[in-house]
């Protein structure tokens, strides 16, 4: 990168790499600077570092728009919905989520 600029200050490494991946899918070269990896190398103090996403300054505008769109999409996503319960294939009892085995006949789907 000739003139890298910071376009995003991520909360953690996972978020930073998600954004980098998203930008690269859109043809923008991006990289993470900072975060735990660099801190682990002794370059930066871990406590004061959050990973930042950098792109070339020529891509800055496009990158910011992509990140903005990406964040809107993520915040509009439904929270992880609970998995439905399941029906025991042996006795037909409806089992609530949280039970690994049928409470009626003790059928265990994981063991079969
Ligand atoms: Zn059963």
């Amino acid at each position: 990168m000739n003139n890298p600029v910071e376009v995003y200050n991520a909360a953690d490494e996972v978020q930073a790499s998600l954004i980098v991946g998203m930008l690269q899918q859109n043809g923008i070269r991006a990289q993470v600077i900072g975060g735990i990896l660099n801190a682990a190398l002794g370059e930066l103090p871990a406590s004061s570092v959050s990973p930042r996403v950098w792109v070339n300054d020529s891509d800055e505008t496009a990158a910011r728009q992509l990140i903005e769109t990406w964040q809107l999409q993520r915040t509009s996503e439904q929270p992880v919905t609970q998995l439905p319960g399941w029906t025991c294939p042996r006795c037909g009892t409806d089992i609530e989520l949280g039970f690994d085995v049928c409470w009626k006949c003790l059928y265990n789907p994981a063991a079969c």
Side-chain angles (χ1 to χ4, degrees), residues 11-91:
D12 55 42
E13 307 269 343
V14 175
Q15 190 184 33
S17 51
L18 279 174
I19 289 177
V20 167
M22 181 274 294
L23 290 174
Q24 287 175 341
Q25 277 178 5
N26 287 279
I28 294 177
R29 282 181 54 198
Q31 70 181 100
V32 179
I33 296 177
I36 296 166
L37 291 178
N38 288 339
L41 294 172
E43 294 175 16
L44 298 160
S47 57
S48 63
V49 172
S50 56
R52 289 137 205 267
V53 178
W54 293 69
V55 300
N56 245 324
D57 62 352
S58 56
D59 292 326
E60 180 183 359
T61 307
R64 286 188 188 279
Q65 284 175 351
L66 285 167
I67 291 170
E68 197 172 318
T69 305
W70 180 82
Q71 286 181 308
L72 285 173
Q73 285 172 348
R74 279 174 61 88
T75 50
S76 64
E77 276 173 13
Q78 294 294 324
V80 178
T81 50
Q82 280 218 326
L83 293 167
W86 51 284
T87 302
C88 176
R90 186 191 285 172
C91 69

